[in-house]
Amino acid sequence: KAGVTQTPRYLIKTRGQQVTLSCSPISGHRSVSWYQQTPGQGLQFLFEYFSETQRNKGNFPGRFSGRQFSNSRSEMNVSTLELGDSALYLCASSSGQGGGYEQYFGPGTRLTVT
Amino acid sequence: DQQVKQNSPSLSVQEGRISILNCDYTNSMFDYFLWYKKYPAEGPTFLISISSIKDKNEDGRFTVFLNKSAKHLSLHIVPSQPGDSAVYFCAASASDTDKLIFGTGTRLQVFP
């Protein structure tokens, strides 16, 4: 079974631009979550989706948004990029509806904002 | 407010010995705990998990212990191998959500 895939793997953007990151979960997994990893803040939760519905949102500004499609694939969007948005963005999927299920992570998208 | 804490930023262990990584949490609503291993610029790799209804879970060389009254969990790796050298994160979640709260990580180095 293929793992979680994320595209693109690397991205360089300029301040003020917007970016869309994509995540394909493990086949059969309907739950997708997004995390941001930075050296200063560690791994921070962004969003959680199940069956196209956002179930939970982390403490991030409204510039960060996401969605999930009927095939469980998910995208996250960051508008009006700031230098501080430079980070590794990770997607995770699980087979359950929430809580008590193992989550498997993709390789991440490394976003650099200049 | 750091709800999940890993107070040891680093740990160095000789090959073949036991590695013990510790994690403390403050939120009593957490009922599922996971350990991940991570290399730089890669996604975390799931190692082992434990539900709050258990106090121990074992998988090969990895064992996780949970002490609910102390709000403490630990990961034991026996025997430690050089390939275990990485950063280890503990994470916790509450019922009805996949939202994981991560600790700050412990860098494990296993030397020959």
Side-chain angles (χ1 to χ4, degrees), chain B residues 2 14 19 26 36 61 68 70 75 82 84-85 89 101-102 105 110:
Chain B
Q2 189 72 26
Q14 188 172 30
S19 295
T26 58
Y36 288 89
R61 296 186 300 114
K68 282 179 60 180
L75 174 68
D84 295 329
S85 298
F89 289 92
I101 305 298
F102 281 88
V110 180

Side-chain angles (χ1 to χ4, degrees), chain B residues 9-15 17-19 80 106-111:
Chain B
S10 64
L11 175 67
S12 189
V13 172
Q14 188 172 30
E15 181 179 6
R17 309 291 280 257
I18 184 171
S19 295
S80 300
T106 296
R107 181 176 301 279
L108 172 66
Q109 183 182 6
V110 180
F111 59 93

Side-chain angles (χ1 to χ4, degrees), chain A residues 31 35 37 43 45 48 55-56 88 90 94 98-103 105-107, chain B residues 32 34 36 38 41-44 46 49 89 93-100 102:
Chain A
S31 176
Y35 295 83
Q37 186 184 26
L43 281 152
F45 170 80
E48 174 191 353
R55 289 193 304 191
N56 227 325
L88 181 65
L90 294 158
S94 79
Y101 294 90
E102 298 156 7
Q103 291 190 55
F105 282 82
Chain B
Y32 190 60
L34 307 90
Y36 288 89
K38 189 177 185 304
E42 293 184 10
F46 171 77
S49 63
F89 289 92
S93 70
S95 298
D96 301 326
T97 178
D98 277 344
K99 175 182 176 180
L100 292 177
F102 281 88

Side-chain angles (χ1 to χ4, degrees), chain A residues 102, chain B residues 48-51 54-59 62-66 75:
Chain A
E102 298 156 7
Chain B
I48 192 168
S49 63
I50 188 166
S51 163
K54 295 185 176 181
D55 54 18
K56 176 182 175 182
N57 190 25
E58 196 170 351
D59 184 1
F62 301 95
T63 303
V64 56
F65 295 92
L66 175 63
L75 174 68

Side-chain angles (χ1 to χ4, degrees), chain B residues 19-34:
Chain B
S19 295
I20 300 177
L21 297 97
N22 294 302
C23 180
D24 297 294
Y25 62 97
T26 58
N27 190 338
S28 57
M29 298 301 291
F30 290 149
D31 59 6
Y32 190 60
F33 304 89
L34 307 90

Side-chain angles (χ1 to χ4, degrees), chain A residues 18 35 50 59 66 113:
Chain A
Q18 74 163 18
Y35 295 83
F50 183 83
N59 189 24
V113 182

